[in-house]
Amino acid sequence: MSENTAITSSASGAQRALDLLSNTVIGIAATALVGLVLVQGWQVIARYVLNDSPSWTEPVTLVLLSTAMGLAAASGVHTNKHFGFFLLAEALGPRSKRLVHAISPLVIAVIGAVMAYWGWVLLLDGLDIRMAGAPIPQSLPYLPLSVGGLLMVVFALNRLVHALAESSEKGND
């Protein structure tokens, strides 16, 4: 096995692992979205049919919504369908376009790192405070924000590696 073959197979193995991670994250986000619909459906039935509105539905909905949004946004970074400068890149020439495709993942990684850090800080800050209506920490909705931000960094750095490799291949042509 040559050195190039080993690099290609390990890179494709890493890519497969990131694809699996992205698919898992989308599955969790979709499950959270279905859970959100079920919880809100129960809220409507309990309030308007049973005339007994449960107090736990709003806090649980917040956690499910932040889970769906944070994780789906991260997966969108992996699939290159979210957080990009697509219109700007298309308006530029080939050389500038490659530059934008290299800078875009860096911007996304910085935004993801900020989300991960401050989401974590906010999570830790409110762990000892209980949400009104549910026995869960008030800061729990920040956990998916932090995890989503961390995943955005990982997926954006992967996109940066691919953009740089593609740029070097085009530079060699």
Side-chain angles (χ1 to χ4, degrees), residues 82-128:
H82 197 21
F83 299 115
F85 302 109
F86 308 115
L87 293 176
L88 176 64
E90 291 303 317
L92 299 173
R95 183 171 274 156
S96 299
K97 189 177 193 176
R98 285 195 302 263
L99 181 64
V100 168
H101 284 303
I103 291 173
S104 178
L106 286 175
V107 171
I108 295 167
V110 168
I111 291 170
V114 169
M115 285 174 49
Y117 174 76
W118 285 109
W120 188 254
V121 167
L122 291 168
L123 172 70
L124 295 178
D125 190 43
L127 277 177
D128 57 342

CSV table of all heavy atoms in Angstrom, one decimal, residues 82-128:
chain,number,residue,atom,x,y,z
A,82,HIS,N,-25.9,25.1,5.1
A,82,HIS,CA,-26.2,26.1,6.1
A,82,HIS,C,-24.9,26.9,6.4
A,82,HIS,O,-23.8,26.3,6.3
A,82,HIS,CB,-26.7,25.3,7.3
A,82,HIS,CG,-27.4,26.2,8.3
A,82,HIS,ND1,-28.0,27.3,8.0
A,82,HIS,CD2,-27.7,26.0,9.6
A,82,HIS,CE1,-28.6,27.8,9.1
A,82,HIS,NE2,-28.4,27.0,10.1
A,83,PHE,N,-25.1,28.1,6.7
A,83,PHE,CA,-23.9,28.9,7.1
A,83,PHE,C,-22.9,29.0,6.0
A,83,PHE,O,-21.8,28.4,6.2
A,83,PHE,CB,-23.3,28.5,8.4
A,83,PHE,CG,-24.2,28.5,9.6
A,83,PHE,CD1,-24.6,27.3,10.2
A,83,PHE,CD2,-24.7,29.7,10.1
A,83,PHE,CE1,-25.4,27.4,11.3
A,83,PHE,CE2,-25.5,29.7,11.2
A,83,PHE,CZ,-25.9,28.6,11.8
A,84,GLY,N,-23.1,29.7,5.0
A,84,GLY,CA,-22.1,29.9,3.9
A,84,GLY,C,-22.3,31.2,3.2
A,84,GLY,O,-23.3,31.9,3.4
A,85,PHE,N,-21.3,31.5,2.5
A,85,PHE,CA,-21.3,32.8,1.7
A,85,PHE,C,-21.5,32.4,0.2
A,85,PHE,O,-20.7,32.8,-0.6
A,85,PHE,CB,-20.0,33.6,1.9
A,85,PHE,CG,-19.7,33.9,3.3
A,85,PHE,CD1,-18.7,33.3,4.0
A,85,PHE,CD2,-20.5,34.8,4.0
A,85,PHE,CE1,-18.5,33.6,5.3
A,85,PHE,CE2,-20.3,35.1,5.3
A,85,PHE,CZ,-19.2,34.5,6.0
A,86,PHE,N,-22.6,31.7,0.0
A,86,PHE,CA,-22.8,31.1,-1.4
A,86,PHE,C,-23.0,32.1,-2.5
A,86,PHE,O,-22.4,32.1,-3.5
A,86,PHE,CB,-23.9,30.1,-1.4
A,86,PHE,CG,-23.8,29.1,-0.3
A,86,PHE,CD1,-24.8,29.0,0.8
A,86,PHE,CD2,-22.8,28.2,-0.3
A,86,PHE,CE1,-24.7,28.1,1.8
A,86,PHE,CE2,-22.7,27.2,0.7
A,86,PHE,CZ,-23.6,27.2,1.7
A,87,LEU,N,-23.8,33.1,-2.2
A,87,LEU,CA,-24.1,34.2,-3.2
A,87,LEU,C,-22.8,35.0,-3.5
A,87,LEU,O,-22.5,35.3,-4.6
A,87,LEU,CB,-25.2,35.1,-2.7
A,87,LEU,CG,-26.6,34.4,-2.7
A,87,LEU,CD1,-27.6,35.4,-2.1
A,87,LEU,CD2,-27.0,33.9,-4.0
A,88,LEU,N,-22.1,35.3,-2.4
A,88,LEU,CA,-20.8,36.1,-2.6
A,88,LEU,C,-19.8,35.3,-3.4
A,88,LEU,O,-19.2,35.8,-4.3
A,88,LEU,CB,-20.2,36.4,-1.2
A,88,LEU,CG,-18.9,37.1,-1.2
A,88,LEU,CD1,-19.0,38.5,-1.9
A,88,LEU,CD2,-18.3,37.3,0.2
A,89,ALA,N,-19.7,34.0,-3.1
A,89,ALA,CA,-18.7,33.2,-3.8
A,89,ALA,C,-19.1,33.1,-5.3
A,89,ALA,O,-18.2,33.1,-6.2
A,89,ALA,CB,-18.6,31.8,-3.2
A,90,GLU,N,-20.3,33.0,-5.6
A,90,GLU,CA,-20.8,32.8,-7.0
A,90,GLU,C,-20.5,34.1,-7.8
A,90,GLU,O,-20.4,34.1,-9.0
A,90,GLU,CB,-22.2,32.4,-7.1
A,90,GLU,CG,-22.5,31.0,-6.6
A,90,GLU,CD,-21.7,30.0,-7.4
A,90,GLU,OE1,-21.6,30.1,-8.6
A,90,GLU,OE2,-21.1,29.1,-6.7
A,91,ALA,N,-20.5,35.3,-7.1
A,91,ALA,CA,-20.4,36.5,-7.8
A,91,ALA,C,-18.9,36.9,-8.1
A,91,ALA,O,-18.6,37.8,-8.8
A,91,ALA,CB,-21.0,37.7,-6.9
A,92,LEU,N,-18.0,36.1,-7.5
A,92,LEU,CA,-16.6,36.4,-7.6
A,92,LEU,C,-15.9,35.5,-8.7
A,92,LEU,O,-16.5,34.5,-9.2
A,92,LEU,CB,-15.9,36.1,-6.3
A,92,LEU,CG,-16.4,37.0,-5.1
A,92,LEU,CD1,-15.7,36.5,-3.8
A,92,LEU,CD2,-16.0,38.5,-5.4
A,93,GLY,N,-14.7,35.9,-9.0
A,93,GLY,CA,-13.9,35.1,-10.0
A,93,GLY,C,-13.4,33.8,-9.4
A,93,GLY,O,-13.5,33.6,-8.2
A,94,PRO,N,-12.8,33.0,-10.2
A,94,PRO,CA,-12.3,31.6,-9.7
A,94,PRO,C,-11.4,31.7,-8.5
A,94,PRO,O,-11.5,31.0,-7.5
A,94,PRO,CB,-11.7,31.0,-10.9
A,94,PRO,CG,-12.1,31.8,-12.1
A,94,PRO,CD,-12.5,33.1,-11.6
A,95,ARG,N,-10.4,32.6,-8.6
A,95,ARG,CA,-9.4,32.7,-7.5
A,95,ARG,C,-10.0,33.2,-6.2
A,95,ARG,O,-9.8,32.7,-5.1
A,95,ARG,CB,-8.2,33.6,-7.9
A,95,ARG,CG,-7.2,33.7,-6.9
A,95,ARG,CD,-6.0,34.4,-7.4
A,95,ARG,NE,-5.1,33.4,-8.1
A,95,ARG,CZ,-4.3,33.7,-9.0
A,95,ARG,NH1,-4.1,35.0,-9.4
A,95,ARG,NH2,-3.5,32.8,-9.6
A,96,SER,N,-10.9,34.3,-6.3
A,96,SER,CA,-11.5,34.8,-5.2
A,96,SER,C,-12.6,33.9,-4.6
A,96,SER,O,-12.8,33.8,-3.4
A,96,SER,CB,-12.2,36.2,-5.5
A,96,SER,OG,-11.3,37.1,-5.9
A,97,LYS,N,-13.2,33.1,-5.5
A,97,LYS,CA,-14.1,32.1,-5.1
A,97,LYS,C,-13.5,31.0,-4.2
A,97,LYS,O,-14.0,30.7,-3.2
A,97,LYS,CB,-14.7,31.4,-6.3
A,97,LYS,CG,-15.9,30.5,-6.1
A,97,LYS,CD,-16.4,30.0,-7.4
A,97,LYS,CE,-17.7,29.4,-7.3
A,97,LYS,NZ,-18.3,29.0,-8.6
A,98,ARG,N,-12.3,30.6,-4.6
A,98,ARG,CA,-11.5,29.6,-3.7
A,98,ARG,C,-11.2,30.2,-2.4
A,98,ARG,O,-11.3,29.5,-1.4
A,98,ARG,CB,-10.3,29.1,-4.5
A,98,ARG,CG,-10.6,28.2,-5.6
A,98,ARG,CD,-9.4,27.4,-6.1
A,98,ARG,NE,-8.3,28.3,-6.5
A,98,ARG,CZ,-8.0,28.6,-7.8
A,98,ARG,NH1,-8.8,28.1,-8.7
A,98,ARG,NH2,-7.0,29.4,-8.1
A,99,LEU,N,-10.8,31.5,-2.4
A,99,LEU,CA,-10.5,32.2,-1.1
A,99,LEU,C,-11.7,32.2,-0.2
A,99,LEU,O,-11.7,32.0,1.0
A,99,LEU,CB,-10.0,33.6,-1.4
A,99,LEU,CG,-9.6,34.4,-0.2
A,99,LEU,CD1,-8.4,33.8,0.5
A,99,LEU,CD2,-9.3,35.8,-0.6
A,100,VAL,N,-12.9,32.6,-0.8
A,100,VAL,CA,-14.1,32.6,0.0
A,100,VAL,C,-14.5,31.2,0.6
A,100,VAL,O,-14.9,31.1,1.7
A,100,VAL,CB,-15.3,33.2,-0.8
A,100,VAL,CG1,-16.6,33.0,-0.1
A,100,VAL,CG2,-15.1,34.7,-1.0
A,101,HIS,N,-14.3,30.2,-0.3
A,101,HIS,CA,-14.6,28.9,0.2
A,101,HIS,C,-13.6,28.4,1.3
A,101,HIS,O,-14.0,27.5,2.1
A,101,HIS,CB,-14.5,27.9,-1.0
A,101,HIS,CG,-15.7,27.9,-1.9
A,101,HIS,ND1,-17.0,27.7,-1.4
A,101,HIS,CD2,-15.8,28.2,-3.2
A,101,HIS,CE1,-17.8,27.9,-2.4
A,101,HIS,NE2,-17.2,28.1,-3.5
A,102,ALA,N,-12.4,29.0,1.3
A,102,ALA,CA,-11.5,28.7,2.4
A,102,ALA,C,-11.8,29.5,3.7
A,102,ALA,O,-11.7,29.0,4.8
A,102,ALA,CB,-10.1,28.9,2.0
A,103,ILE,N,-12.2,30.8,3.5
A,103,ILE,CA,-12.5,31.6,4.7
A,103,ILE,C,-13.8,31.3,5.3
A,103,ILE,O,-13.9,31.3,6.6
A,103,ILE,CB,-12.5,33.1,4.2
A,103,ILE,CG1,-11.0,33.5,3.9
A,103,ILE,CG2,-13.0,34.0,5.3
A,103,ILE,CD1,-10.9,34.9,3.3
A,104,SER,N,-14.8,30.9,4.6
A,104,SER,CA,-16.1,30.6,5.1
A,104,SER,C,-16.1,29.6,6.2
A,104,SER,O,-16.7,29.8,7.3
A,104,SER,CB,-17.0,30.1,4.0
A,104,SER,OG,-18.3,29.7,4.4
A,105,PRO,N,-15.4,28.4,6.1
A,105,PRO,CA,-15.3,27.5,7.2
A,105,PRO,C,-14.7,28.0,8.4
A,105,PRO,O,-15.0,27.7,9.6
A,105,PRO,CB,-14.5,26.3,6.6
A,105,PRO,CG,-14.6,26.4,5.2
A,105,PRO,CD,-14.8,27.8,4.9
A,106,LEU,N,-13.7,28.9,8.2
A,106,LEU,CA,-13.0,29.6,9.4
A,106,LEU,C,-14.0,30.4,10.2
A,106,LEU,O,-14.1,30.4,11.4
A,106,LEU,CB,-11.8,30.4,8.9
A,106,LEU,CG,-10.6,29.6,8.5
A,106,LEU,CD1,-9.5,30.6,8.0
A,106,LEU,CD2,-10.1,28.8,9.7
A,107,VAL,N,-14.8,31.2,9.4
A,107,VAL,CA,-15.8,32.0,10.1
A,107,VAL,C,-16.8,31.2,10.8
A,107,VAL,O,-17.2,31.4,12.0
A,107,VAL,CB,-16.5,32.9,9.0
A,107,VAL,CG1,-17.7,33.7,9.6
A,107,VAL,CG2,-15.6,33.9,8.4
A,108,ILE,N,-17.3,30.1,10.2
A,108,ILE,CA,-18.2,29.2,10.8
A,108,ILE,C,-17.6,28.5,12.1
A,108,ILE,O,-18.3,28.4,13.1
A,108,ILE,CB,-18.7,28.1,9.8
A,108,ILE,CG1,-19.5,28.7,8.7
A,108,ILE,CG2,-19.5,27.0,10.5
A,108,ILE,CD1,-19.7,27.8,7.5
A,109,ALA,N,-16.3,28.2,12.0
A,109,ALA,CA,-15.7,27.5,13.2
A,109,ALA,C,-15.6,28.5,14.3
A,109,ALA,O,-15.8,28.1,15.5
A,109,ALA,CB,-14.3,27.0,12.8
A,110,VAL,N,-15.3,29.8,14.0
A,110,VAL,CA,-15.2,30.8,15.1
A,110,VAL,C,-16.6,31.0,15.7
A,110,VAL,O,-16.7,31.0,16.9
A,110,VAL,CB,-14.7,32.1,14.5
A,110,VAL,CG1,-14.9,33.3,15.5
A,110,VAL,CG2,-13.2,32.0,14.2
A,111,ILE,N,-17.6,31.1,14.9
A,111,ILE,CA,-19.0,31.2,15.4
A,111,ILE,C,-19.4,30.0,16.3
A,111,ILE,O,-19.9,30.1,17.3
A,111,ILE,CB,-20.0,31.5,14.3
A,111,ILE,CG1,-19.8,32.8,13.6
A,111,ILE,CG2,-21.4,31.3,14.8
A,111,ILE,CD1,-20.5,33.1,12.3
A,112,GLY,N,-19.1,28.8,15.8
A,112,GLY,CA,-19.4,27.6,16.5
A,112,GLY,C,-18.6,27.6,17.8
A,112,GLY,O,-19.2,27.1,18.9
A,113,ALA,N,-17.4,28.0,17.8
A,113,ALA,CA,-16.6,28.0,19.1
A,113,ALA,C,-17.2,29.0,20.1
A,113,ALA,O,-17.2,28.7,21.3
A,113,ALA,CB,-15.1,28.4,18.8
A,114,VAL,N,-17.6,30.1,19.6
A,114,VAL,CA,-18.2,31.1,20.5
A,114,VAL,C,-19.5,30.5,21.1
A,114,VAL,O,-19.8,30.6,22.3
A,114,VAL,CB,-18.5,32.4,19.8
A,114,VAL,CG1,-19.4,33.4,20.6
A,114,VAL,CG2,-17.2,33.1,19.5
A,115,MET,N,-20.3,29.9,20.2
A,115,MET,CA,-21.6,29.2,20.7
A,115,MET,C,-21.3,28.1,21.7
A,115,MET,O,-22.0,28.0,22.7
A,115,MET,CB,-22.3,28.7,19.5
A,115,MET,CG,-23.0,29.7,18.7
A,115,MET,SD,-23.8,29.0,17.2
A,115,MET,CE,-24.7,27.6,17.8
A,116,ALA,N,-20.3,27.3,21.4
A,116,ALA,CA,-19.9,26.2,22.3
A,116,ALA,C,-19.5,26.8,23.7
A,116,ALA,O,-19.9,26.3,24.7
A,116,ALA,CB,-18.9,25.3,21.7
A,117,TYR,N,-18.6,27.7,23.6
A,117,TYR,CA,-18.1,28.3,24.9
A,117,TYR,C,-19.1,28.9,25.7
A,117,TYR,O,-19.3,28.6,26.9
A,117,TYR,CB,-16.9,29.3,24.6
A,117,TYR,CG,-16.4,29.9,25.9
A,117,TYR,CD1,-15.6,29.3,26.7
A,117,TYR,CD2,-16.8,31.2,26.2
A,117,TYR,CE1,-15.2,29.9,27.9
A,117,TYR,CE2,-16.4,31.9,27.3
A,117,TYR,CZ,-15.5,31.2,28.2
A,117,TYR,OH,-15.1,31.8,29.4
A,118,TRP,N,-19.8,29.9,25.2
A,118,TRP,CA,-20.8,30.6,25.9
A,118,TRP,C,-22.0,29.8,26.3
A,118,TRP,O,-22.7,29.9,27.3
A,118,TRP,CB,-21.3,31.9,25.2
A,118,TRP,CG,-20.2,32.9,25.4
A,118,TRP,CD1,-19.4,33.4,24.4
A,118,TRP,CD2,-19.8,33.6,26.6
A,118,TRP,NE1,-18.5,34.3,24.9
A,118,TRP,CE2,-18.7,34.4,26.2
A,118,TRP,CE3,-20.2,33.5,27.9
A,118,TRP,CZ2,-18.0,35.2,27.2
A,118,TRP,CZ3,-19.5,34.3,28.8
A,118,TRP,CH2,-18.5,35.2,28.5
A,119,GLY,N,-22.4,28.8,25.4
A,119,GLY,CA,-23.4,27.9,25.8
A,119,GLY,C,-23.0,27.1,27.0
A,119,GLY,O,-23.8,26.8,27.9
A,120,TRP,N,-21.8,26.6,27.1
A,120,TRP,CA,-21.3,25.9,28.2
A,120,TRP,C,-21.3,26.7,29.5
A,120,TRP,O,-21.6,26.3,30.6
A,120,TRP,CB,-19.9,25.3,27.9
A,120,TRP,CG,-19.4,24.4,29.0
A,120,TRP,CD1,-18.4,24.6,29.9
A,120,TRP,CD2,-19.8,23.1,29.2
A,120,TRP,NE1,-18.2,23.5,30.7
A,120,TRP,CE2,-19.1,22.6,30.3
A,120,TRP,CE3,-20.8,22.3,28.6
A,120,TRP,CZ2,-19.3,21.3,30.8
A,120,TRP,CZ3,-21.0,21.0,29.1
A,120,TRP,CH2,-20.2,20.5,30.2
A,121,VAL,N,-20.8,28.0,29.3
A,121,VAL,CA,-20.8,28.9,30.5
A,121,VAL,C,-22.2,29.1,31.0
A,121,VAL,O,-22.4,29.0,32.2
A,121,VAL,CB,-20.1,30.3,30.1
A,121,VAL,CG1,-20.4,31.3,31.2
A,121,VAL,CG2,-18.6,30.1,29.9
A,122,LEU,N,-23.1,29.4,30.1
A,122,LEU,CA,-24.5,29.6,30.6
A,122,LEU,C,-25.1,28.3,31.1
A,122,LEU,O,-25.9,28.4,32.1
A,122,LEU,CB,-25.4,30.1,29.4
A,122,LEU,CG,-25.0,31.5,29.0
A,122,LEU,CD1,-25.7,31.8,27.6
A,122,LEU,CD2,-25.4,32.5,30.0
A,123,LEU,N,-24.8,27.1,30.6
A,123,LEU,CA,-25.2,25.9,31.2
A,123,LEU,C,-24.8,25.7,32.6
A,123,LEU,O,-25.6,25.4,33.5
A,123,LEU,CB,-24.7,24.7,30.3
A,123,LEU,CG,-25.0,23.3,30.9
A,123,LEU,CD1,-26.5,23.0,30.8
A,123,LEU,CD2,-24.2,22.3,30.2
A,124,LEU,N,-23.5,25.9,32.8
A,124,LEU,CA,-22.9,25.8,34.2
A,124,LEU,C,-23.5,26.8,35.2
A,124,LEU,O,-23.7,26.5,36.3
A,124,LEU,CB,-21.4,25.8,34.2
A,124,LEU,CG,-20.7,24.7,33.4
A,124,LEU,CD1,-19.2,24.9,33.4
A,124,LEU,CD2,-21.1,23.3,34.0
A,125,ASP,N,-23.8,28.0,34.6
A,125,ASP,CA,-24.3,29.1,35.5
A,125,ASP,C,-25.6,28.8,36.1
A,125,ASP,O,-25.9,29.2,37.2
A,125,ASP,CB,-24.3,30.4,34.7
A,125,ASP,CG,-24.6,31.6,35.6
A,125,ASP,OD1,-24.0,31.7,36.6
A,125,ASP,OD2,-25.4,32.4,35.1
A,126,GLY,N,-26.5,28.1,35.4
A,126,GLY,CA,-27.8,27.9,35.8
A,126,GLY,C,-28.2,26.4,36.2
A,126,GLY,O,-29.4,26.1,36.3
A,127,LEU,N,-27.2,25.6,36.4
A,127,LEU,CA,-27.5,24.2,36.7
A,127,LEU,C,-28.2,24.0,38.1
A,127,LEU,O,-29.0,23.1,38.3
A,127,LEU,CB,-26.2,23.3,36.7
A,127,LEU,CG,-25.7,22.9,35.4
A,127,LEU,CD1,-24.4,22.1,35.5
A,127,LEU,CD2,-26.7,22.0,34.7
A,128,ASP,N,-27.9,24.9,39.0
A,128,ASP,CA,-28.5,24.7,40.4
A,128,ASP,C,-29.9,25.4,40.5
A,128,ASP,O,-30.5,25.4,41.5
A,128,ASP,CB,-27.6,25.3,41.4
A,128,ASP,CG,-27.2,26.7,41.2
A,128,ASP,OD1,-27.4,27.2,40.1
A,128,ASP,OD2,-26.7,27.4,42.1
